[in-house]
């Protein structure tokens, strides 16, 4: 598990503190590490350090965006893990699921859905359609029929990359994950029942990292790929 908190004391400091608390006298030679008492004190010091470290990390661990030990409690309170996240979500994905649930306002409006996707780690744009109306439409506008009044489009990068980060990722996790399966699943779950959601992905010449940084590749731009 990733380490959290900043620890000021080492094992030797805790061992010295234990020795200082013991009675004085010849039958208490704990200060000598070669004695039985010294070895007992040395075996207890790492445990005290772990307890102190856990206490220091509690403030950081209490926040959903940085929770590790308390993450299962957040997930249980919110009905997670979500099936959309798959069978083995990474630590970052689990934290994002919690944050997204806590900050979700439940509105089907484009800004609310875009904000929910951003909390999950996906940068998207939403386009709404309307039937073409004589007198209201302009030259070059698509000739959308009545059915398009209930359609909307999610535009997202073809690759949304989440990289392994020391302090935020757990041992055994991949160095990078990508894909939009979670995004599609979550958006479809929240799309109003009477609407049709279309997913359009920018071509492979465009990358969006976890921090929101845009990386352009050497290939020429292509048209979005609708799904």
């Amino acid at each position: 598990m990733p380490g959290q908190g900043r620890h000021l004391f080492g094992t030797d400091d805790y061992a010295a503190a234990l020795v200082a608390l013991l009675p004085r006298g010849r039958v208490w030679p704990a200060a000598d590490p070669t004695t039985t008492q010294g070895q007992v004190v040395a075996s207890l010091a790492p445990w005290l350090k772990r307890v102190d470290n856990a206490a220091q990390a509690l403030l950081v661990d209490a926040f959903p965006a940085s929770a590790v030990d308390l993450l299962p409690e957040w997930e249980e309170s919110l009905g997670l893990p979500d099936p959309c996240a798959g069978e083995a979500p990474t630590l970052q994905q689990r934290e994002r699921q919690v944050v997204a649930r806590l900050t979700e306002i439940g509105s089907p409006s484009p800004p609310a859905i875009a904000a929910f996707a951003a909390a999950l780690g996906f940068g998207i744009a939403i386009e709404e359609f309307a039937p073409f109306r004589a007198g209201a439409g302009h030259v070059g506008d698509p000739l959308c029929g009545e059915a398009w009044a209930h359609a909307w489009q999610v535009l997202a990068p073809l690759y949304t990359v989440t990289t392994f980060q020391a302090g935020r990722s757990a041992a055994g996790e991949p160095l990078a994950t990508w894909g939009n399966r979670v995004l599609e699943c979550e958006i479809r779950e929240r799309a109003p029942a009477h609407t049709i959601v279309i997913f359009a992905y920018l071509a492979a010449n465009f990358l969006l990292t976890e921090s929101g940084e845009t990386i352009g590749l050497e290939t020429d731009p292509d048209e979005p790929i609708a799904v």
Side-chain angles (χ1 to χ4, degrees), residues 61-87:
D61 201 55
F63 286 91
S66 54
V68 177
D69 293 331
L70 297 181
L71 185 58
E73 295 188 25
W74 283 109
E75 290 176 323
E76 184 177 359
S77 300
L78 297 168
L80 295 172
D82 192 295
C84 289
E87 296 182 358

Side-chain angles (χ1 to χ4, degrees), residues 7-204:
H7 315 305
L8 302 178
F9 302 104
T11 304
D12 293 341
D13 297 312
Y14 293 96
L18 283 174
V19 171
L21 293 173
L22 294 175
R24 305 297 180 183
R26 292 186 177 181
V27 297
W28 296 96
D32 184 353
T34 62
T35 64
T36 300
Q37 291 181 17
Q39 294 175 5
V40 171
V41 168
S43 67
L44 293 175
W47 175 79
L48 289 175
K49 180 180 178 180
R50 288 195 298 271
V51 171
D52 194 16
N53 289 349
Q56 292 186 51
L58 183 59
L59 290 177
V60 176
D61 201 55
F63 286 91
S66 54
V68 177
D69 293 331
L70 297 181
L71 185 58
E73 295 188 25
W74 283 109
E75 290 176 323
E76 184 177 359
S77 300
L78 297 168
L80 295 172
D82 192 295
C84 289
E87 296 182 358
T90 65
L91 180 61
Q92 291 185 62
Q93 289 173 330
R94 292 170 60 195
E95 291 173 344
R96 287 172 176 169
Q97 289 279 344
V98 169
V99 172
R101 292 301 186 283
L102 290 174
T103 57
E104 185 179 9
I105 63 176
S107 169
S109 66
I113 293 177
F116 179 79
L120 291 173
F122 298 94
I124 67 171
I126 294 178
E127 180 182 2
E128 297 181 283
F129 304 97
F132 186 88
R133 293 285 187 269
H138 300 85
V139 176
D141 287 349
L143 299 177
C144 296
E146 293 295 331
W148 283 92
H150 306 291
W152 51 290
Q153 179 172 271
V154 174
L155 181 65
L158 184 61
Y159 299 120
T160 299
V161 182
T162 300
T163 56
F164 186 98
Q165 294 185 11
R168 290 201 60 196
S169 301
E173 291 184 357
L175 297 180
T177 58
W178 56 88
N180 294 296
R181 182 182 57 81
V182 173
L183 173 66
E184 291 194 16
C185 181
E186 293 284 5
I187 295 296
R188 293 188 193 280
E189 287 289 329
R190 283 157 180 77
H194 67 285
T195 65
I196 299 173
V197 57
I198 303 169
F199 291 89
Y201 293 108
L202 298 174

